[in-house]
Amino acid sequence: MTEARGSAGPDGAPQARYAPGAPCWVSLMVHGLTATQEFYAELFGWEFQPGPQPLGPYVRALLDGREVAGIGQLPQDRHLPIAWTPYLASDHVDATAETVRLCGGTIGVGPLDAGDAGRMAIGSDPSGAVFGIWQAAAHLGTDLTGVHGTPAWNELATYEAAGAAKFYETVFGYGREAEASADTDYVTLHIAGRAVAGIRGVGAALPRDRGPHWMTYFEVADADEALARVVGLGGHVLHPVRDGAHGRVAGVADPEGARFSLIQDPR
């Protein structure tokens, strides 16, 4: 998973423009914006600043003054799933949105301008997994990675990996690498030889109440401590901490039910 991090890092180097297809931002839409800010501020140390507001009240989360994620407020009459959504970079969001449609996906929002920050759309793949598309202007995307509280990886859980990978390859031009295991249905998506996201086929094990979905992993300094903090702040444990090939990982949900993963890098 560590290969997915962009050029921004704890050394303070500014983030260059993301290559087309690279996960460049993660965003969460909730009903209780203030309470959600308080939860993530305590968990990750985030601070917040407002804007842009193409779809209503919205804040950008900061670490050391660097933008790492966004949280927006849903209208009270909109009963949509509360979920973290990855945004994939595009040089021309309108053309990418049209390709999504031609490949059997749908576009639910946009394309539309987000002030001077950029242009965006929100779509879903043929199985229904939701993702965003971002054409950067003033806002390039996540500006810091590799430290506590920053996005570390994005992974699609779906019925079957190869079919889903074909859609994303066609739309965004990824290369792919299948995991060499008869017991694992997993494909890693690559840009210029660098791993940027994963697709895991889980078949009937996919939760019926969710369907195919993207999962964001956030870096933490100590997975066990972060898990205890999630619980203390009113969140929920979905999968206890376990050791994996890329570090110690746990699955959690915030108080509104948005699911995400914590990962402690083994370095």
Side-chain angles (χ1 to χ4, degrees), residues 21-27 84-90 93 96 100 107 109 119-124 129-135 168 172 174 214:
C24 61
W25 188 244
V26 290
S27 189
W84 281 100
T85 300
Y87 279 72
L88 308 176
S90 171
V93 67
T96 302
V100 167
I107 297 295
V109 177
R119 189 164 172 79
M120 61 164 284
I122 299 175
S124 58
V130 175
F131 60 93
I133 308 167
W134 182 253
Q135 178 182 332
Y168 289 97
F172 293 103
Y174 298 120
W214 281 92

Side-chain angles (χ1 to χ4, degrees), residues 2-256:
T2 54
E3 300 91 339
R5 300 192 180 102
S7 59
D11 59 359
Q15 173 65 55
R17 181 175 290 271
Y18 281 86
C24 61
W25 188 244
V26 290
S27 189
L28 174 64
M29 300 297 291
V30 298
H31 292 293
L33 181 57
T34 299
T36 300
Q37 287 178 250
E38 292 172 353
F39 172 85
Y40 287 100
E42 290 293 329
L43 179 61
F44 292 141
W46 289 351
E47 298 178 334
F48 298 92
Q49 67 180 28
Q53 300 182 334
L55 303 175
Y58 192 85
V59 294
R60 285 171 285 181
L62 308 176
L63 278 173
D64 297 325
R66 308 274 288 278
E67 297 179 359
V68 296
I71 304 175
Q73 182 167 314
L74 287 166
Q76 293 303 312
D77 59 349
R78 296 288 295 277
H79 299 287
L80 298 174
I82 306 298
W84 281 100
T85 300
Y87 279 72
L88 308 176
S90 171
D91 287 339
H92 197 301
V93 67
D94 294 76
T96 302
E98 183 59 26
T99 304
V100 167
R101 295 188 185 98
L102 291 173
C103 292
T106 60
I107 297 295
V109 177
L112 55 84
D113 290 325
D116 63 356
R119 189 164 172 79
M120 61 164 284
I122 299 175
S124 58
D125 66 24
S127 71
V130 175
F131 60 93
I133 308 167
W134 182 253
Q135 178 182 332
H139 173 64
L140 297 180
T142 300
D143 195 31
L144 181 67
T145 60
V147 299
H148 180 87
T150 59
W153 185 248
N154 289 281
E155 186 172 280
L156 172 65
T158 190
Y159 297 109
E160 183 265 329
K166 184 175 179 61
F167 168 82
Y168 289 97
E169 288 170 351
T170 304
V171 174
F172 293 103
Y174 298 120
R176 79 159 88 170
E177 179 180 324
E179 192 164 300
S181 170
D183 301 323
T184 304
D185 182 18
Y186 195 89
V187 171
T188 304
L189 301 177
H190 292 256
I191 295 175
R194 183 170 63 90
V196 297
I199 299 178
R200 184 179 301 278
V202 297
L206 199 67
R208 292 185 179 182
D209 63 336
R210 297 206 68 200
H213 60 276
W214 281 92
M215 173 69 71
T216 297
Y217 289 68
F218 288 97
E219 175 113 2
V220 292
D222 185 311
D224 298 276
E225 181 181 329
L227 191 67
R229 186 172 289 251
V230 166
V231 174
L233 293 169
H236 309 281
V237 177
L238 303 176
H239 303 289
V241 177
R242 63 193 185 278
D243 291 311
H246 300 285
R248 292 176 59 74
V249 180
V252 298
D254 69 19
E256 279 210 29

